[in-house]
């Protein structure tokens, strides 16, 4: 490659995000091979404490990873879970009794002041505190009793991609550890992730549908709902298209009225109970003539206007979100490039968001 072409490549819009998306199979493999023993150790220590309730604390992309963990903990362990309202502690000074409560704080950087302050307050209130970050030396890791490093490596693009899937896998292995599982079902993920990411041309064709979109709706149910929320966030922060994420059940409770035959709708259909629960919603969307695109199994894609077939045969439903988000990350990237924008550096955003 000549010096000129090398310089052009280094200045190509989206090159950082593209490179980090491509790293995801390697990151998933690293977690399975290097991170899993430590995650099991942390899980065993926390399980021995017998938490009675779980609170999940996060912002942005990490909040969607925390929502995934909520589904895992409630379905797999029967533990009641809640998503923390940090302002009750940081702004209002509330000090609830958190004895025997597990507080899991998910943060890529581990540096946001409100996350650090609320975790510190939770520990002082008697909670078992666990930080899940991409930075073992972060302030959040320092104030937490336990820490899990997601081992994603430096992430320089503003949109989080590899740290999201790394957080999902780390949280999955943690919950598996809490219930005495070995997480063996996850070993197939790196290979399947590589297969999906190699199909970028398919996603590029799909992106042409959304180049001039003024609004998008993304829906799912069950384990797929965090994927819908994360996909909406990625589309908004990179392409600036207003993207509304709804649980399929919530979509029927009013927002369905805004869907018409020119409104693009993306449905994330997991192969399992969540996908089955979404079927009435898909039927209603088809009945309204919506431009329906499905991310999921082939029969569901074949029944839609368009879509992306996921290789989920034999993949447990609770692991499918790690694969579901990959074509949607690619979609956000391709739509942004098609609109002449740079997904590496969305306007008005910083990598570490310092909320209080």
């Amino acid at each position: 490659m000549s010096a000129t072409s090398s310089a052009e490549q280094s200045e190509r819009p989206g090159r950082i995000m593209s490179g980090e998306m491509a790293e995801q199979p390697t990151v998933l493999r690293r977690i399975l091979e290097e991170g899993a023993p430590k995650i099991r150790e942390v899980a065993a220590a926390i399980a021995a404490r017998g938490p009675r309730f779980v609170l999940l604390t996060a912002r942005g992309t990490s909040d969607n990873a925390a929502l995934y963990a909520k589904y895992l903990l409630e379905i797999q362990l029967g533990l009641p879970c809640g998503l923390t309202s940090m302002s009750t502690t940081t702004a209002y000074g509330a000090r609830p009794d958190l004895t025997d409560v597990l507080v899991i704080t998910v943060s890529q950087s581990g540096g946001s002041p409100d996350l650090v302050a609320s975790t510190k307050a939770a520990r002082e209130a008697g909670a078992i505190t666990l930080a899940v970050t991409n930075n073992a030396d972060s302030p959040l890791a320092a104030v937490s009793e336990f820490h899990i490093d997601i081992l994603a490596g430096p992430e320089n693009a503003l949109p989080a991609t590899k740290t999201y899937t790394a957080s999902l896998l780390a949280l999955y292995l943690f919950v598996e550890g809490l219930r005495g599982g070995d997480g063996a079902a996850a070993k197939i993920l790196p290979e399947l992730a590589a297969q999906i990411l190699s199909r970028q041309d398919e996603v590029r064709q799909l992106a042409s549908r959304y180049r001039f979109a003024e609004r998008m709706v993304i829906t799912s149910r069950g384990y797929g709902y965090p994927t819908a929320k994360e996909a909406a966030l990625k589309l908004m922060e990179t392409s600036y298209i207003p993207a509304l994420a709804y649980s399929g059940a919530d979509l029927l409770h009013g927002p369905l009225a805004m869907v018409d035959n020119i409104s693009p709708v993306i449905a994330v259909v997991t192969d399992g109970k969540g996908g089955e629960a979404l079927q009435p919603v898909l039927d209603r969307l088809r009945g309204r003539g919506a431009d329906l695109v499905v991310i999921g199994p082939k029969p569901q894609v074949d029944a839609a206007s368009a879509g992306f077939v996921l290789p989920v045969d034999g993949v447990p439903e609770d692991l499918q979100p790690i694969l579901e988000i990959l074509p949607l990350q690619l979609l956000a990237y391709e739509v942004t490039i098609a609109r002449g924008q740079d997904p590496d550096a969305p306007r008005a955003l910083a990598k570490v968001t310092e909320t209080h």
Side-chain angles (χ1 to χ4, degrees), residues 318-334:
D318 55 4
L319 278 173
Q320 291 175 34
I322 299 172
L323 302 176
E324 289 166 349
I325 191 59
L326 299 176
L328 291 164
Q329 290 174 345
L330 292 172
L331 181 66
Y333 171 87
E334 292 293 349

Side-chain angles (χ1 to χ4, degrees), residues 14-307:
R15 66 180 179 81
I16 302 174
M17 181 180 178
S18 178
E20 290 173 352
M21 287 189 294
E23 290 178 42
Q24 289 176 103
T26 299
V27 171
L28 296 174
R29 189 171 291 108
R30 184 186 306 139
I31 295 168
L32 291 167
E33 294 175 356
E34 301 175 21
K38 174 63 174 176
I39 294 172
R40 282 195 296 270
E41 180 183 317
V42 169
I46 291 176
R49 301 270 288 274
R52 59 183 173 86
F53 190 88
V54 182
L55 286 174
L56 294 141
T57 306
R59 296 283 192 202
T61 284
S62 294
D63 199 35
N64 298 326
L67 180 59
Y68 168 71
K70 184 176 187 291
Y71 276 91
L72 287 173
L73 289 159
E74 291 182 341
I75 295 169
Q76 305 293 347
L77 296 178
L79 273 174
C81 300
L83 299 176
T84 305
S85 300
M86 277 175 279
S87 61
T88 61
T89 298
T90 59
Y92 292 94
R95 291 295 183 267
D97 179 3
L98 299 179
T99 304
D100 298 328
V101 173
L102 171 60
V103 172
I104 303 173
T105 307
V106 187
S107 171
Q108 298 145 42
S109 69
S112 186
D114 57 350
L115 294 170
V116 175
S118 64
T119 300
K120 183 174 183 291
R123 189 170 181 180
E124 291 170 351
I128 307 161
T129 52
L130 167 64
V132 179
T133 80
N134 196 36
N135 183 359
D137 298 321
S138 64
L140 179 60
V143 300
S144 300
E145 184 178 358
F146 297 97
H147 176 253
I148 289 174
D149 189 340
I150 65 172
L151 301 175
E155 187 174 60
N156 296 311
L158 286 178
T161 53
K162 63 179 182 174
T163 53
Y164 179 69
T165 49
S167 295
L168 296 191
L169 180 53
L171 288 162
Y172 170 83
L173 293 174
F174 171 69
V175 175
E176 278 288 286
L178 287 179
R179 66 183 192 138
D182 60 7
K187 291 181 180 178
I188 197 173
L189 291 177
E191 177 185 344
L192 293 178
Q195 290 178 20
I196 291 170
L197 291 168
S198 72
R199 296 161 57 193
Q200 189 162 356
D201 287 348
E202 289 182 46
V203 179
R204 189 173 297 121
Q205 293 178 6
L206 201 57
S208 63
R209 305 171 74 90
Y210 305 117
R211 182 176 180 180
F212 301 108
E214 297 182 359
R215 180 188 68 213
M216 295 174 64
V217 173
I218 307 176
T219 188
S220 190
R221 289 203 69 179
Y223 285 112
Y225 180 44
T227 306
K229 289 174 66 66
E230 174 60 12
L233 176 59
K234 283 292 153 287
L235 282 159
M236 287 189 287
E237 69 182 350
T238 57
S239 70
Y240 316 143
I241 298 173
L244 308 172
Y246 292 101
S247 156
D250 287 333
L251 185 63
L252 297 183
H253 283 264
L256 184 69
M258 71 178 173
V259 176
D260 53 30
N261 59 6
I262 60 171
S263 300
V265 179
I266 297 175
V268 180
V269 184
T270 57
D271 187 16
K273 293 181 179 178
E276 293 169 7
L278 192 63
Q279 288 308 306
V281 183
L282 300 179
D283 293 341
R284 292 286 298 277
L285 288 168
R286 292 188 192 99
R288 292 190 62 80
D291 178 12
L292 178 63
V293 169
V294 166
I295 309 298
K298 189 175 188 303
Q300 297 296 340
V301 173
D302 289 345
S305 305

